[in-house]
Amino acid sequence: MDGNGRWASRRLLPRVAGHTRGVDAVRTAVETCARRGVEYLTLFAFSSENWRRPADEVSLLMRLFVVALQREVGKLHANGIRLRVVGDMSAFEQRLQDLVREAEARTAGNTGLTLTIAANYGGRWDVLQATRQMLQDRPELASEPSLIDEAALTPYLAMAYAPEPDLFIRTGGEQRISNFLLWQLAYTELYFTDCFWPDFGEADVDQAFEFYRTRERRFGRTSAQLVDPRVSSTPADAGVSSKPG
Ligand code: FPP
């Protein structure tokens, strides 16, 4: 959700005004995705690196998270949305941690859109914490590293409950991943737009979906194989039907 600061600066407003308007854009994106039948929406709200920002901006962002949780969770719940937060929550103030856990528990049984907020999240942090937890649970792997494969590690990633993303959207004109879901984005379609996050509305969500529809997802195969799965593949590929390659 990039471009909040520049959206505000262009209007001669303080950067934090952009974050406040960014919350409205979050609401629009969640409503639009829920209406369109999206099953998982993950928003990168605060990266592990965002602590480097000026203290007043960081504290405003924390306040926005608290207020948004207090105000919006009832509505999310009423709409069948399940809320999850991923990231190193231990760095946040206790009140925010409590609100997050309460909101997650309250919406846990919902079966509509799963909305994940990534907060104090970093893709590298995620791979490292997953590795540590895996080795803690399965210490035998430390002496037999050849047994460590993707299937062993992925259950420990913070978003193990969700499939890998189909579409990644970055607003604000930058064309980089910035330490988001590094492991999970391996085969995701990447969409970059100059639109600043506070301006990212329903039509912009649909435009991103339209881009996605034009993509051919080959997962390492050829176009011919996608048209006719019987077109020969190597023995190594035999039996691999849904795995990226
Ligand atoms: C990046 O834009 C945006 C952030 C670091 C914060 C995103 C937070 C929100 C949209 C509000 C709160 C979210 C929730 C889920 C309640 P930037 O400030 O880096 O923009 P710039 O590149 O123009 O400076």
Side-chain angles (χ1 to χ4, degrees), residues 7-14:
W7 181 93
S9 303
R10 295 239 170 128
R11 288 161 178 78
L12 305 178
L13 295 168

Side-chain angles (χ1 to χ4, degrees), residues 1-6 15 19 23 45 50 53 61 65 68 117:
M1 300 187 284
D2 201 6
N4 292 349
R6 279 165 290 160
R15 291 178 52 81
H19 296 314
V23 177
N50 284 150
R53 292 186 173 218
L61 280 168
F65 296 148
I117 307 294

Side-chain angles (χ1 to χ4, degrees), residues 48-242:
S48 323
E49 292 74 30
N50 284 150
W51 294 109
R52 297 174 189 154
R53 292 186 173 218
D56 59 342
E57 183 171 339
V58 171
S59 89
L60 180 278
L61 280 168
M62 295 302 144
R63 242 190 0 258
L64 281 181
F65 296 148
V66 169
V67 170
L69 279 167
Q70 287 168 333
R71 284 200 191 143
E72 311 283 344
V73 170
K75 214 173 345 157
L76 294 176
H77 187 46
N79 283 285
I81 293 172
R82 175 170 70 137
L83 181 73
R84 300 289 301 256
V85 176
V86 293
D88 182 5
M89 289 298 296
S90 66
F92 292 125
E93 62 173 81
Q94 195 55 48
R95 189 164 66 115
L96 182 50
Q97 293 186 41
D98 294 344
L99 277 169
V100 164
R101 296 303 157 227
E102 280 164 29
E104 286 184 326
R106 186 169 170 199
T107 61
N110 292 341
T111 55
L113 171 76
T114 296
L115 169 64
T116 301
I117 307 294
N120 197 21
Y121 176 88
R124 292 179 182 175
W125 164 84
D126 196 5
V127 173
L128 288 173
Q129 69 78 25
T131 308
R132 287 189 201 111
Q133 275 195 54
M134 177 188 70
L135 290 174
Q136 212 164 25
D137 278 6
R138 302 179 58 188
E140 73 280 6
L141 292 177
S143 50
E144 205 56 72
S146 62
L147 295 178
I148 301 177
D149 57 11
E150 292 183 21
L153 185 72
T154 49
Y156 294 94
L157 291 169
M159 287 196 62
Y161 56 86
E164 292 177 9
D166 292 313
L167 175 64
F168 164 98
I169 300 172
R170 180 170 186 153
T171 58
E174 308 295 354
Q175 303 207 355
R176 52 177 174 258
I177 305 297
S178 296
N179 203 11
F180 195 34
L181 300 161
L182 293 182
W183 179 284
Q184 298 89 335
L185 289 176
Y187 291 93
T188 300
E189 299 297 330
L190 306 179
Y191 178 79
F192 299 98
T193 169
D194 289 337
C195 180
F196 293 144
W197 177 253
D199 289 329
F200 195 73
E202 185 172 350
D204 301 291
V205 175
D206 284 337
Q207 207 172 327
F209 291 168
E210 207 43 60
F211 157 85
Y212 179 77
R213 278 189 203 101
T214 67
R215 307 304 303 159
E216 178 186 69
R217 308 195 70 198
R218 292 193 295 276
F219 296 107
R221 295 185 179 79
T222 65
S223 293
Q225 285 174 302
L226 294 182
V227 174
D228 181 357
R230 288 167 304 175
V231 172
S232 71
S233 53
T234 60
D237 196 32
V240 180
S241 58
S242 61

